[in-house]
């Protein structure tokens, strides 16, 4: 198959390429890290791909999302160009990576402890998502719905907190692993440490994506359904690193929403995650 991966040099993109290397596929990767702007590609290229996995986006972790929202807004332009190109070239199937940030922030309060379901996003009744990154992904989902109405095969996936060994230190999981390896004491955690996330291993994200394509899934979360606070994560990392230290919180640091956990019901209809958080931590501490 001819497969296009946009943003192929990022954390998720490189893991997709690892998965596909052993298969007989023709893979095209486009990434600004290699001097190729995906918007220039969309403007000029007319190749018909069998599968498109669209990952290209400006994210940069919580510090960028909150600290430089106008830079993140460039994702709006990237996605607009993507769907214009897709309508012109009509790929066999397009996977649009949205985000759990697209969910309404008012549902993500600590007192609710609500698992976010796919239908909590109603594209005909928009409710405020998380910062410009959430708005960009929500807009991309709306464009995907229009493209689907034009006859394109499209899967929209909403990954929660994807993690893995080779992830950038801009994100919490690899930062915690680094502190664990160094046996940092006290162990520093942004915010009050009570903010909760839903961690899913990158290998499960990749495998679930291909199952979603095979099963012609239109919209689904990619998540574990397990609520893990940053304090919980710090304790798990220290336990596996073989020590225990005081956890020092920083309430002035960016933290995002209080409680972001996904409902797994839809995902489990086509894929069940294989790697637990404990196994993911063990792998990362070993560098595998």
């Amino acid at each position: 198959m001819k497969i296009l991966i946009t943003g192929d040099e990022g954390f998720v993109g490189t893991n997709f390429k690892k998965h596909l290397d052993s298969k007989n596929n023709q893979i095209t990767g486009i990434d600004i890290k290699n001097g190729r702007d995906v918007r220039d590609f969309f403007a000029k290229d007319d190749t018909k791909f069998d599968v498109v996995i669209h990952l290209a986006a400006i994210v940069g972790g919580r510090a960028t999302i909150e600290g430089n929202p106008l830079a993140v807004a460039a994702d709006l332009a990237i996605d607009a160009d993507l769907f214009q190109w897709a309508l012109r070239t009509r790929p066999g199937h397009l996977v649009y990576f949205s985000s759990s940030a697209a969910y309404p922030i008012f549902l993500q309060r600590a007192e609710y402890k609500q698992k976010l379901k796919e239908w909590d996003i109603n594209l005909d009744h928009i409710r405020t998502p998380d910062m410009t990154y959430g708005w960009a992904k929500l807009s991309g989902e709306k464009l995907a719905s229009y493209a689907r109405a034009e006859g394109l095969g499209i899967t929209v996936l909403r990954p929660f907190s994807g993690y893995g060994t080779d992830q950038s230190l801009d994100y919490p999981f690899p930062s915690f692993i680094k502190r664990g390896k160094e046996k940092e004491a006290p162990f520093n955690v942004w915010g009050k440490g009570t903010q909760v996330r839903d961690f899913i291993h990158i290998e499960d994200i990749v495998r679930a994506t291909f199952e979603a394509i095979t099963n012609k899934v239109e919209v689904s979360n990619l998540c574990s359904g397990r609520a893990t606070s940053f304090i919980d994560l710090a304790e798990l990392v220290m336990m596996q690193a073989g020590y225990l230290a005081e956890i020092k919180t920083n309430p002035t640091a960016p933290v995002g929403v209080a409680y972001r956990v996904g409902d797994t019901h839809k995902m489990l209809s086509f894929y069940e995650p294989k790697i637990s958080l404990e196994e993911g931590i063990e792998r990362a501490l070993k560098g595998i």
Side-chain angles (χ1 to χ4, degrees):
M1 292 194 298
K2 286 185 178 180
I3 300 175
L4 171 67
I5 305 175
T6 69
D8 70 304
E9 292 299 315
F11 168 60
V12 181
T14 54
N15 277 277
F16 267 99
K17 288 191 294 185
K18 287 177 189 176
H19 180 87
L20 290 165
D21 276 348
S22 62
K23 294 180 166 53
N24 295 320
N25 297 306
Q26 181 182 332
I27 303 168
T28 299
I30 307 292
D31 199 297
I32 196 69
K33 291 179 182 178
N34 288 334
R36 301 184 72 187
D37 191 320
V38 72
R39 288 171 290 184
D40 292 338
F41 176 85
F42 290 146
K44 300 170 184 175
D45 187 86
D46 288 320
T47 304
K48 181 177 174 60
F49 290 92
D50 298 300
V51 174
V52 176
I53 300 171
H54 180 58
L55 304 168
I58 296 169
V59 189
R62 195 74 223 174
T64 302
I65 288 172
E66 293 192 15
N68 198 353
L70 286 177
V72 177
D75 293 342
L76 293 162
I78 292 172
D79 290 347
D81 289 348
L82 161 75
F83 286 108
Q84 290 294 335
W85 169 84
L87 285 175
R88 187 175 78 245
T89 63
R90 306 195 74 81
H93 199 88
L94 190 156
V95 179
Y96 177 75
F97 264 76
S98 181
S99 169
S100 55
Y103 280 104
I105 55 174
F106 85 90
L107 295 177
Q108 301 176 62
R109 299 176 183 174
E111 61 268 28
Y112 289 174
K113 292 184 171 54
Q114 177 171 330
K115 290 191 175 182
L116 300 166
K117 300 175 177 62
E118 285 78 5
W119 56 82
D120 286 327
I121 291 179
N122 182 344
L123 295 176
D124 295 319
H125 182 64
I126 299 297
R127 296 176 292 181
T128 306
D130 189 3
M131 302 291 294
T132 49
Y133 184 66
W135 277 114
K137 291 303 182 182
L138 199 55
S139 298
E141 289 199 29
K142 187 69 173 178
L143 294 177
S145 71
Y146 290 140
R148 191 181 288 120
E150 293 287 336
L152 293 185
I154 297 179
T155 293
V156 172
L157 297 175
R158 298 174 187 151
F160 279 66
S161 294
Y163 73 94
T165 302
D166 54 344
Q167 193 174 22
S168 162
L169 289 173
D170 290 334
Y171 296 89
F173 181 87
S175 299
F176 280 34
I177 294 297
K178 181 175 184 292
R179 292 165 194 162
K181 284 182 176 179
E182 296 172 354
K183 291 185 166 50
E184 180 184 276
F187 196 107
N188 290 287
V189 172
W190 281 14
K192 295 180 179 179
T194 55
Q195 64 270 33
V196 168
R197 294 295 181 268
D198 181 336
F199 292 94
I200 177 169
H201 197 274
I202 185 61
E203 287 187 18
D204 283 316
I205 287 176
V206 171
R207 291 170 182 156
T209 297
F210 288 104
E211 290 299 322
I213 294 170
T214 300
N215 287 276
K216 296 181 170 57
V217 174
E218 290 195 355
V219 181
S220 181
N221 290 335
L222 298 181
C223 57
S224 69
R226 174 178 174 177
T228 304
S229 74
F230 278 30
I231 288 175
D232 292 338
L233 181 61
E235 290 176 343
L236 287 169
V237 169
M238 285 191 286
M239 285 173 62
Q240 293 216 37
Y243 81 111
L244 194 60
E246 175 193 358
I247 295 174
K248 184 179 180 181
T249 59
N250 180 4
T252 63
V255 296
V257 296
Y259 192 93
R260 178 174 290 164
V261 180
D263 182 274
T264 59
H265 181 78
K266 180 68 176 292
M267 182 185 69
L268 291 176
S269 69
F270 63 90
Y271 183 79
E272 181 176 356
K274 307 296 189 295
I275 301 173
S276 68
L277 182 55
E278 286 80 4
E279 181 182 346
I281 291 170
E282 180 182 6
R283 287 188 181 193
L285 286 170
K286 292 179 178 178
I288 58 175

